[in-house]
Amino acid sequence: MSNIYNLEPVTKGKVLLATSHGDIEIELWARETPKTCRNFVQLCLEGYYESVIFHRLVKGFCLQGGDATGTGTGGVSIYGGNFKDEFHQRLKFNRRGLVAMANTGEPNTNTSQFFITLGEASELQNKHTIFGKVSGNTIYNVLRMAELETDSDDRPLEPPFIKSVEVLNNPFDDIEPRDIKHKPDEVKVEKKKKKSQMKATKNFKLLSFGDEAEEAVVSTQSRSRYFFLFYNYKRNKTSEEIIENLPREQNPWKSAKDEERKRRRARERERERERE
């Protein structure tokens, strides 16, 4: 394992994500992937990632976040649209703790979504831009999240989320954060089925987003209401309190949990009938 680390370039830049499950420090390869790292750092400075959930977890494979809509279909970049991939011969998907860009399954379709590897994933090589790595003991907080229970669509029943972001070492001294507010309700979210920004399935299309996402379990109005509460009151209450106090019909996480309970009860009733 030490040989793997020795082959990796020296990092330049560091960001701290304070999450619901502890801190995650991310060291950046800003020399090797300057466009990607600039996008990530500037979005961090602008507060885009604050209160954003990790909406997809594939056991032993990846933990994904970076979409302010929380659906896996959103995402923005500082460049006004998708930006190009940046591959480097010394950056390889050969271990856990690597931070890479999610995309639509097509080249050069990066925005704000990213994922953290939970193991070796060589099949993703030269398909997704690796731009950072989780450093130190904070990898154990990632592994804590990796143990969370998920539904059949790899969505955590109680999604972990980013509480706040701090740029500890900015590798770009010329970045000027824009005076804008990244509001999820400004992102177009449709109830119709659309291509997911990342359908992370290890044995099928991997991290490409070619599979269709499930229809939204809550209406756009309910989702907007949820994010309005989340963003405007997060400074006065903890995120856990805000989520817990939302009406059930306006909380997609509770709804997903309810559906999972119903499926379990149905399976139990079926087993009881078989015993009889």
Side-chain angles (χ1 to χ4, degrees), residues 56 71 73 151-153 190-196 199 211-217 223:
R56 189 176 297 279
T71 64
T73 62
D151 62 18
S152 58
D153 296 316
E190 299 178 356
K191 290 179 67 177
K192 296 180 180 179
K193 287 186 177 181
K194 62 186 296 184
K195 289 186 177 180
S196 169
K199 186 65 174 179
D211 291 342
E212 292 182 332
E214 293 293 324
E215 290 188 9
V217 294
R223 186 181 291 111

PDB file of all heavy atoms in Angstrom, residues 56 71 73 151-153 190-196 199 211-217 223:
ATOM      1  N   ARG A  56     -26.054   9.158  -2.613  1.00  0.00           N
ATOM      2  CA  ARG A  56     -25.897   7.797  -3.127  1.00  0.00           C
ATOM      3  C   ARG A  56     -24.727   7.106  -2.435  1.00  0.00           C
ATOM      4  O   ARG A  56     -23.659   7.686  -2.240  1.00  0.00           O
ATOM      5  CB  ARG A  56     -25.673   7.811  -4.642  1.00  0.00           C
ATOM      6  CG  ARG A  56     -25.732   6.408  -5.273  1.00  0.00           C
ATOM      7  CD  ARG A  56     -25.596   6.476  -6.782  1.00  0.00           C
ATOM      8  NE  ARG A  56     -26.684   7.191  -7.395  1.00  0.00           N
ATOM      9  CZ  ARG A  56     -27.884   6.676  -7.651  1.00  0.00           C
ATOM     10  NH1 ARG A  56     -28.142   5.434  -7.313  1.00  0.00           N
ATOM     11  NH2 ARG A  56     -28.818   7.407  -8.218  1.00  0.00           N
ATOM     12  N   THR A  71     -31.001  15.147  -5.491  1.00  0.00           N
ATOM     13  CA  THR A  71     -31.651  14.124  -6.324  1.00  0.00           C
ATOM     14  C   THR A  71     -30.678  13.304  -7.149  1.00  0.00           C
ATOM     15  O   THR A  71     -31.016  12.228  -7.620  1.00  0.00           O
ATOM     16  CB  THR A  71     -32.639  14.781  -7.298  1.00  0.00           C
ATOM     17  OG1 THR A  71     -31.905  15.624  -8.203  1.00  0.00           O
ATOM     18  CG2 THR A  71     -33.672  15.617  -6.557  1.00  0.00           C
ATOM     19  N   THR A  73     -29.620  14.518  -9.974  1.00  0.00           N
ATOM     20  CA  THR A  73     -29.836  15.006 -11.342  1.00  0.00           C
ATOM     21  C   THR A  73     -29.392  16.448 -11.512  1.00  0.00           C
ATOM     22  O   THR A  73     -29.491  16.995 -12.607  1.00  0.00           O
ATOM     23  CB  THR A  73     -31.324  14.901 -11.725  1.00  0.00           C
ATOM     24  OG1 THR A  73     -32.087  15.740 -10.847  1.00  0.00           O
ATOM     25  CG2 THR A  73     -31.810  13.474 -11.619  1.00  0.00           C
ATOM     26  N   ASP A 151     -31.566   2.100   0.505  1.00  0.00           N
ATOM     27  CA  ASP A 151     -32.711   1.452  -0.122  1.00  0.00           C
ATOM     28  C   ASP A 151     -32.261   0.743  -1.401  1.00  0.00           C
ATOM     29  O   ASP A 151     -31.068   0.639  -1.685  1.00  0.00           O
ATOM     30  CB  ASP A 151     -33.837   2.466  -0.399  1.00  0.00           C
ATOM     31  CG  ASP A 151     -33.422   3.561  -1.372  1.00  0.00           C
ATOM     32  OD1 ASP A 151     -32.417   3.383  -2.099  1.00  0.00           O
ATOM     33  OD2 ASP A 151     -34.107   4.597  -1.431  1.00  0.00           O
ATOM     34  N   SER A 152     -33.217   0.267  -2.175  1.00  0.00           N
ATOM     35  CA  SER A 152     -32.880  -0.509  -3.380  1.00  0.00           C
ATOM     36  C   SER A 152     -32.234   0.335  -4.468  1.00  0.00           C
ATOM     37  O   SER A 152     -31.682  -0.201  -5.426  1.00  0.00           O
ATOM     38  CB  SER A 152     -34.146  -1.168  -3.944  1.00  0.00           C
ATOM     39  OG  SER A 152     -35.126  -0.183  -4.242  1.00  0.00           O
ATOM     40  N   ASP A 153     -32.288   1.666  -4.343  1.00  0.00           N
ATOM     41  CA  ASP A 153     -31.667   2.563  -5.320  1.00  0.00           C
ATOM     42  C   ASP A 153     -30.341   3.126  -4.824  1.00  0.00           C
ATOM     43  O   ASP A 153     -29.854   4.129  -5.355  1.00  0.00           O
ATOM     44  CB  ASP A 153     -32.622   3.719  -5.655  1.00  0.00           C
ATOM     45  CG  ASP A 153     -33.875   3.236  -6.331  1.00  0.00           C
ATOM     46  OD1 ASP A 153     -33.760   2.387  -7.240  1.00  0.00           O
ATOM     47  OD2 ASP A 153     -34.971   3.688  -5.965  1.00  0.00           O
ATOM     48  N   GLU A 190     -37.557  18.280 -12.351  1.00  0.00           N
ATOM     49  CA  GLU A 190     -38.770  17.783 -12.969  1.00  0.00           C
ATOM     50  C   GLU A 190     -39.234  16.514 -12.290  1.00  0.00           C
ATOM     51  O   GLU A 190     -38.452  15.721 -11.800  1.00  0.00           O
ATOM     52  CB  GLU A 190     -38.527  17.505 -14.457  1.00  0.00           C
ATOM     53  CG  GLU A 190     -38.114  18.754 -15.219  1.00  0.00           C
ATOM     54  CD  GLU A 190     -37.840  18.450 -16.673  1.00  0.00           C
ATOM     55  OE1 GLU A 190     -37.910  17.262 -17.049  1.00  0.00           O
ATOM     56  OE2 GLU A 190     -37.553  19.385 -17.424  1.00  0.00           O
ATOM     57  N   LYS A 191     -40.561  16.287 -12.299  1.00  0.00           N
ATOM     58  CA  LYS A 191     -41.119  15.068 -11.748  1.00  0.00           C
ATOM     59  C   LYS A 191     -40.969  13.910 -12.727  1.00  0.00           C
ATOM     60  O   LYS A 191     -40.995  12.752 -12.349  1.00  0.00           O
ATOM     61  CB  LYS A 191     -42.599  15.266 -11.408  1.00  0.00           C
ATOM     62  CG  LYS A 191     -42.835  16.181 -10.213  1.00  0.00           C
ATOM     63  CD  LYS A 191     -44.306  16.352  -9.942  1.00  0.00           C
ATOM     64  CE  LYS A 191     -44.938  15.068  -9.476  1.00  0.00           C
ATOM     65  NZ  LYS A 191     -46.348  15.196  -9.132  1.00  0.00           N
ATOM     66  N   LYS A 192     -40.811  14.233 -14.018  1.00  0.00           N
ATOM     67  CA  LYS A 192     -40.667  13.183 -15.009  1.00  0.00           C
ATOM     68  C   LYS A 192     -39.345  12.460 -14.810  1.00  0.00           C
ATOM     69  O   LYS A 192     -38.399  13.004 -14.272  1.00  0.00           O
ATOM     70  CB  LYS A 192     -40.710  13.786 -16.425  1.00  0.00           C
ATOM     71  CG  LYS A 192     -42.037  14.436 -16.766  1.00  0.00           C
ATOM     72  CD  LYS A 192     -41.968  15.001 -18.171  1.00  0.00           C
ATOM     73  CE  LYS A 192     -43.290  15.664 -18.553  1.00  0.00           C
ATOM     74  NZ  LYS A 192     -43.233  16.243 -19.905  1.00  0.00           N
ATOM     75  N   LYS A 193     -39.300  11.218 -15.285  1.00  0.00           N
ATOM     76  CA  LYS A 193     -38.049  10.478 -15.225  1.00  0.00           C
ATOM     77  C   LYS A 193     -37.021  11.144 -16.117  1.00  0.00           C
ATOM     78  O   LYS A 193     -37.330  11.560 -17.221  1.00  0.00           O
ATOM     79  CB  LYS A 193     -38.255   9.034 -15.681  1.00  0.00           C
ATOM     80  CG  LYS A 193     -38.997   8.174 -14.667  1.00  0.00           C
ATOM     81  CD  LYS A 193     -39.018   6.736 -15.138  1.00  0.00           C
ATOM     82  CE  LYS A 193     -39.690   5.848 -14.120  1.00  0.00           C
ATOM     83  NZ  LYS A 193     -39.694   4.450 -14.555  1.00  0.00           N
ATOM     84  N   LYS A 194     -35.803  11.253 -15.616  1.00  0.00           N
ATOM     85  CA  LYS A 194     -34.725  11.817 -16.417  1.00  0.00           C
ATOM     86  C   LYS A 194     -33.442  11.084 -16.063  1.00  0.00           C
ATOM     87  O   LYS A 194     -33.368  10.377 -15.074  1.00  0.00           O
ATOM     88  CB  LYS A 194     -34.592  13.314 -16.173  1.00  0.00           C
ATOM     89  CG  LYS A 194     -34.247  13.683 -14.738  1.00  0.00           C
ATOM     90  CD  LYS A 194     -34.264  15.167 -14.493  1.00  0.00           C
ATOM     91  CE  LYS A 194     -33.223  15.883 -15.287  1.00  0.00           C
ATOM     92  NZ  LYS A 194     -33.143  17.302 -15.000  1.00  0.00           N
ATOM     93  N   LYS A 195     -32.417  11.275 -16.866  1.00  0.00           N
ATOM     94  CA  LYS A 195     -31.160  10.581 -16.638  1.00  0.00           C
ATOM     95  C   LYS A 195     -30.510  11.085 -15.359  1.00  0.00           C
ATOM     96  O   LYS A 195     -30.356  12.266 -15.159  1.00  0.00           O
ATOM     97  CB  LYS A 195     -30.219  10.787 -17.820  1.00  0.00           C
ATOM     98  CG  LYS A 195     -30.669  10.038 -19.067  1.00  0.00           C
ATOM     99  CD  LYS A 195     -29.647  10.155 -20.165  1.00  0.00           C
ATOM    100  CE  LYS A 195     -30.067   9.345 -21.387  1.00  0.00           C
ATOM    101  NZ  LYS A 195     -29.091   9.456 -22.468  1.00  0.00           N
ATOM    102  N   SER A 196     -30.148  10.143 -14.504  1.00  0.00           N
ATOM    103  CA  SER A 196     -29.505  10.488 -13.252  1.00  0.00           C
ATOM    104  C   SER A 196     -28.091  10.979 -13.524  1.00  0.00           C
ATOM    105  O   SER A 196     -27.425  10.507 -14.427  1.00  0.00           O
ATOM    106  CB  SER A 196     -29.462   9.259 -12.345  1.00  0.00           C
ATOM    107  OG  SER A 196     -28.627   9.493 -11.241  1.00  0.00           O
ATOM    108  N   LYS A 199     -25.573   7.013 -11.754  1.00  0.00           N
ATOM    109  CA  LYS A 199     -26.153   5.748 -11.332  1.00  0.00           C
ATOM    110  C   LYS A 199     -24.994   4.837 -11.011  1.00  0.00           C
ATOM    111  O   LYS A 199     -24.475   4.125 -11.858  1.00  0.00           O
ATOM    112  CB  LYS A 199     -27.017   5.149 -12.444  1.00  0.00           C
ATOM    113  CG  LYS A 199     -27.763   3.889 -12.015  1.00  0.00           C
ATOM    114  CD  LYS A 199     -28.770   4.173 -10.939  1.00  0.00           C
ATOM    115  CE  LYS A 199     -29.593   2.928 -10.644  1.00  0.00           C
ATOM    116  NZ  LYS A 199     -30.572   3.158  -9.591  1.00  0.00           N
ATOM    117  N   ASP A 211     -28.521   5.331 -16.505  1.00  0.00           N
ATOM    118  CA  ASP A 211     -29.801   4.778 -16.079  1.00  0.00           C
ATOM    119  C   ASP A 211     -30.750   5.887 -15.648  1.00  0.00           C
ATOM    120  O   ASP A 211     -30.342   6.916 -15.149  1.00  0.00           O
ATOM    121  CB  ASP A 211     -29.601   3.821 -14.904  1.00  0.00           C
ATOM    122  CG  ASP A 211     -28.872   2.575 -15.350  1.00  0.00           C
ATOM    123  OD1 ASP A 211     -28.825   2.301 -16.562  1.00  0.00           O
ATOM    124  OD2 ASP A 211     -28.334   1.897 -14.475  1.00  0.00           O
ATOM    125  N   GLU A 212     -32.032   5.641 -15.815  1.00  0.00           N
ATOM    126  CA  GLU A 212     -33.008   6.650 -15.436  1.00  0.00           C
ATOM    127  C   GLU A 212     -33.206   6.674 -13.938  1.00  0.00           C
ATOM    128  O   GLU A 212     -33.214   5.655 -13.268  1.00  0.00           O
ATOM    129  CB  GLU A 212     -34.345   6.367 -16.121  1.00  0.00           C
ATOM    130  CG  GLU A 212     -34.290   6.562 -17.631  1.00  0.00           C
ATOM    131  CD  GLU A 212     -35.640   6.326 -18.254  1.00  0.00           C
ATOM    132  OE1 GLU A 212     -36.421   5.551 -17.685  1.00  0.00           O
ATOM    133  OE2 GLU A 212     -35.908   6.927 -19.299  1.00  0.00           O
ATOM    134  N   ALA A 213     -33.397   7.870 -13.397  1.00  0.00           N
ATOM    135  CA  ALA A 213     -33.671   8.013 -11.974  1.00  0.00           C
ATOM    136  C   ALA A 213     -35.137   7.728 -11.702  1.00  0.00           C
ATOM    137  O   ALA A 213     -35.974   7.856 -12.590  1.00  0.00           O
ATOM    138  CB  ALA A 213     -33.331   9.434 -11.515  1.00  0.00           C
ATOM    139  N   GLU A 214     -35.446   7.338 -10.470  1.00  0.00           N
ATOM    140  CA  GLU A 214     -36.841   7.130 -10.095  1.00  0.00           C
ATOM    141  C   GLU A 214     -37.552   8.464 -10.062  1.00  0.00           C
ATOM    142  O   GLU A 214     -36.948   9.520  -9.871  1.00  0.00           O
ATOM    143  CB  GLU A 214     -36.902   6.488  -8.691  1.00  0.00           C
ATOM    144  CG  GLU A 214     -36.364   5.087  -8.639  1.00  0.00           C
ATOM    145  CD  GLU A 214     -37.225   4.116  -9.418  1.00  0.00           C
ATOM    146  OE1 GLU A 214     -38.446   4.295  -9.402  1.00  0.00           O
ATOM    147  OE2 GLU A 214     -36.660   3.211 -10.038  1.00  0.00           O
ATOM    148  N   GLU A 215     -38.884   8.440 -10.235  1.00  0.00           N
ATOM    149  CA  GLU A 215     -39.659   9.662 -10.134  1.00  0.00           C
ATOM    150  C   GLU A 215     -39.516  10.224  -8.737  1.00  0.00           C
ATOM    151  O   GLU A 215     -39.367   9.509  -7.767  1.00  0.00           O
ATOM    152  CB  GLU A 215     -41.136   9.379 -10.425  1.00  0.00           C
ATOM    153  CG  GLU A 215     -41.392   9.050 -11.886  1.00  0.00           C
ATOM    154  CD  GLU A 215     -42.877   8.971 -12.158  1.00  0.00           C
ATOM    155  OE1 GLU A 215     -43.651   9.346 -11.263  1.00  0.00           O
ATOM    156  OE2 GLU A 215     -43.251   8.535 -13.240  1.00  0.00           O
ATOM    157  N   ALA A 216     -39.597  11.533  -8.631  1.00  0.00           N
ATOM    158  CA  ALA A 216     -39.446  12.185  -7.330  1.00  0.00           C
ATOM    159  C   ALA A 216     -40.540  11.716  -6.387  1.00  0.00           C
ATOM    160  O   ALA A 216     -41.685  11.605  -6.770  1.00  0.00           O
ATOM    161  CB  ALA A 216     -39.528  13.708  -7.498  1.00  0.00           C
ATOM    162  N   VAL A 217     -40.169  11.449  -5.125  1.00  0.00           N
ATOM    163  CA  VAL A 217     -41.153  10.957  -4.162  1.00  0.00           C
ATOM    164  C   VAL A 217     -41.920  12.099  -3.524  1.00  0.00           C
ATOM    165  O   VAL A 217     -42.886  11.881  -2.813  1.00  0.00           O
ATOM    166  CB  VAL A 217     -40.459  10.129  -3.054  1.00  0.00           C
ATOM    167  CG1 VAL A 217     -39.861   8.879  -3.628  1.00  0.00           C
ATOM    168  CG2 VAL A 217     -39.393  10.963  -2.346  1.00  0.00           C
ATOM    169  N   ARG A 223     -40.274  19.874  -2.212  1.00  0.00           N
ATOM    170  CA  ARG A 223     -38.817  19.899  -2.172  1.00  0.00           C
ATOM    171  C   ARG A 223     -38.315  21.322  -1.974  1.00  0.00           C
ATOM    172  O   ARG A 223     -37.394  21.576  -1.214  1.00  0.00           O
ATOM    173  CB  ARG A 223     -38.243  19.310  -3.457  1.00  0.00           C
ATOM    174  CG  ARG A 223     -36.724  19.172  -3.422  1.00  0.00           C
ATOM    175  CD  ARG A 223     -36.190  18.609  -4.714  1.00  0.00           C
ATOM    176  NE  ARG A 223     -36.566  17.220  -4.869  1.00  0.00           N
ATOM    177  CZ  ARG A 223     -37.434  16.808  -5.769  1.00  0.00           C
ATOM    178  NH1 ARG A 223     -38.018  17.660  -6.573  1.00  0.00           N
ATOM    179  NH2 ARG A 223     -37.738  15.532  -5.865  1.00  0.00           N
TER     180      ARG A 223
END
